[in-house]
Amino acid sequence: MIDPKQYTYKVSAAGRVNIIGEHIDYCGGKVMPAALSLANTVYIRPNGTDRINLSWTTLPDSVTFEIGKLGEYKHLAYGKYQAGSAYLWQRAGHKIVGCDMVQDCKVPFGSGLSSSAAIEVSTIAALATVAGESFDKVEVALTAQAAEREYAGVNCGIMDQYASACGKKGMAMLLDCKTLECSYLPLELGGYSMVITDCKKPHNLVESRYNERRAETEEALKILQGVLPNITCLADVSQEQFTTYRNLLPEVIQRRALHVVNECARVRQAEEALRAGDILKLGKILNESHESLKTLYETTGFEPDVLAEAAQSHPACIGSRLTGGGFGGCTISLVESARVDEFESYLLEQYHKKTGYTAVCYKTEISDGITVEKL
Ligand code: GLA
């Protein structure tokens, strides 16, 4: 049990759900994530030493980092994300002071809801706060992304860390990953609710398969730049241009790029649908996105497909898709609010029958990104 009175600040950063716009952040696309109330919370106090002492509510261990040697903790099983985040913040020229922190992570690990982004972002925000610095949330997000790349070996885009830092309560974000401009749109779903369900299938090789997809899109970009010299990223390619030039791409690369181009268009359609309050249309777009991730981008897998398809088969559900990096993790489903309980029991039962795994539906809300509280 944490005694908050023993600490100076409580700093949180959110997990995130991605509503639409999958695997296009690193292609310069516009994405529509939202921050969740499932968050990583850091209780922190200065300790007047040149050390950072880190412990967790969920683990018996604790670790100590020397402030002068923050680059040397990459090998740790637990604590490397925190050390990496501290190191990259320090390398960017910020002050790190000795402190004690205990972390309480409520974002389920391996769920595709960005527990690592929540840990990185909250660690940096907490370290800046305890050092008496104010911080720019976007700079925190970019530094956290760099930590993810260097310390987790995932060549990720900016979506997760940005959403974790800059999300707003009740709002969907419209983040342009090329310019980092972000606007917010109330996530008003009429008589529908968003249900988030974890397929709970342990997955492996996620990092290498993710990096492989990213390399494939880079290959597509390089080839298309040969005929479209003005494009700087795959998201710049229109559907018409893609139809004209797609045959220049090898077959697999063509399917990956087709997903990206269409998914960018789906984000635009989803924005229109949400602005118009056309939630049925939004549901249809979610289904199309899942199908594209399954057949073109190939980042779903047996269990996620069973989960999304079982959701789609329930009459109260108007759309469902796998959210996040893929190869496991969570689906989001839009479901008639009055029938959520019935939907969840049906979904969990169908899924268990077909896969043998027990899925979990999370209770969570759309919340703020970073929050800082003086204790
Ligand atoms: C992971 C990455 C993000 C993004 C998604 C897929 O969550 O961290 O940058 O690429 O996958 O949309």
Side-chain angles (χ1 to χ4, degrees):
M1 271 300 282
I2 304 162
D3 177 4
K5 288 199 296 292
Q6 307 272 324
Y7 292 87
T8 321
Y9 295 100
K10 174 181 171 185
V11 180
S12 291
R16 66 96 190 90
V17 67
N18 188 19
I19 300 164
I20 189 81
E22 214 64 87
H23 284 282
I24 59 170
D25 62 343
Y26 51 82
C27 300
K30 236 181 175 186
V31 294
M32 197 194 282
L36 297 175
S37 53
L38 296 167
N40 188 55
T41 299
V42 182
Y43 294 84
I44 194 164
R45 63 179 174 224
N47 63 16
T49 71
D50 54 5
R51 298 204 162 118
I52 298 173
N53 299 315
L54 164 66
S55 60
W56 293 269
T57 53
T58 46
L59 292 172
D61 337 22
S62 60
V63 288
T64 295
F65 309 131
E66 287 187 40
I67 289 173
K69 296 185 180 165
L70 286 172
E72 296 177 16
Y73 300 100
K74 221 173 183 167
H75 61 279
L76 291 180
Y78 296 106
K80 71 172 176 183
Y81 288 168
Q82 288 85 349
S85 302
Y87 180 52
L88 281 145
W89 189 243
Q90 184 184 54
R91 220 169 63 181
H94 297 282
K95 185 165 90 185
I96 301 282
V97 299
C99 56
D100 305 325
M101 59 172 139
V102 52
Q103 300 210 350
D104 183 31
C105 193
K106 294 282 192 283
V107 190
F109 296 119
S111 63
L113 300 178
S114 295
S115 53
S116 59
I119 290 168
E120 292 147 1
V121 168
S122 57
T123 298
I124 296 173
L127 288 171
T129 304
V130 82
E133 275 193 4
S134 59
F135 54 83
D136 172 56
K137 287 183 185 175
V138 177
E139 189 191 355
V140 172
L142 287 165
T143 309
Q145 178 197 24
E148 178 84 20
R149 288 185 174 174
E150 280 196 30
Y151 277 71
V154 181
N155 196 9
C156 65
I158 187 61
M159 172 171 73
D160 302 349
Q161 291 79 11
Y162 199 109
S164 175
C166 304
K168 288 196 178 145
K169 190 174 165 56
M171 298 284 185
M173 310 168 75
L174 270 167
L175 171 64
D176 184 327
C177 299
K178 189 172 161 184
T179 61
L180 291 190
E181 269 164 51
C182 184
S183 56
Y184 295 84
L185 200 60
L187 190 60
E188 283 162 2
L189 298 174
Y192 296 92
S193 300
M194 201 168 69
V195 176
I196 299 178
T197 314
D198 192 338
C199 77
K200 284 284 176 191
K201 159 87 200 306
H203 47 237
N204 52 23
L205 295 177
V206 176
E207 293 83 5
S208 62
R209 290 194 282 178
Y210 180 93
N211 291 343
E212 181 185 279
R213 290 297 175 281
R214 186 158 179 166
E216 287 164 342
T217 59
E218 277 159 12
E219 189 179 339
L221 175 65
K222 222 155 98 206
I223 298 173
L224 290 173
Q225 276 174 329
V227 284
L228 296 167
N230 292 333
I231 60 169
T232 59
C233 58
L234 220 41
D236 286 344
V237 180
S238 70
Q239 287 175 298
E240 293 70 27
Q241 287 170 326
F242 189 74
T243 308
T244 308
Y245 297 116
R246 59 184 290 173
N247 288 331
L248 297 174
L249 306 176
E251 199 271 331
V252 171
I253 306 295
Q254 199 178 125
R255 281 192 285 128
R256 307 294 190 245
L258 180 59
H259 165 78
V260 171
V261 171
N262 288 347
E263 186 77 358
C264 288
R266 278 191 285 273
V267 176
R268 291 191 289 273
Q269 292 158 10
E271 178 182 352
E272 275 168 33
L274 197 55
R275 287 194 195 280
D278 189 348
I279 309 306
L280 279 175
K281 172 90 186 286
L282 183 62
K284 211 172 134 261
I285 297 168
L286 296 192
N287 288 344
E288 287 167 10
S289 174
H290 186 86
E291 185 60 25
S292 179
L293 291 167
K294 176 181 171 183
T295 58
L296 298 176
Y297 218 67
E298 296 179 282
T299 49
T300 61
F302 176 69
E303 290 79 10
D305 288 338
V306 169
L307 193 62
E309 284 156 23
Q312 291 165 3
S313 75
H314 190 278
C317 176
I318 57 166
S320 184
R321 71 175 202 91
L322 186 65
T323 182
F327 309 111
C330 286
T331 55
I332 49 166
S333 309
L334 293 177
V335 181
E336 280 174 44
S337 298
R339 296 177 70 186
V340 166
D341 289 346
E342 172 202 331
F343 167 80
E344 289 186 358
S345 327
Y346 168 87
L347 182 61
L348 301 186
E349 192 192 314
Q350 290 290 313
Y351 179 71
H352 188 260
K353 219 156 64 191
K354 291 183 181 149
T355 66
Y357 288 104
T358 303
V360 177
C361 295
Y362 295 122
K363 297 270 165 275
T364 179
E365 286 162 22
I366 306 301
S367 292
D368 288 329
I370 297 174
T371 59
V372 176
E373 199 184 312
K374 174 103 176 66
L375 298 171

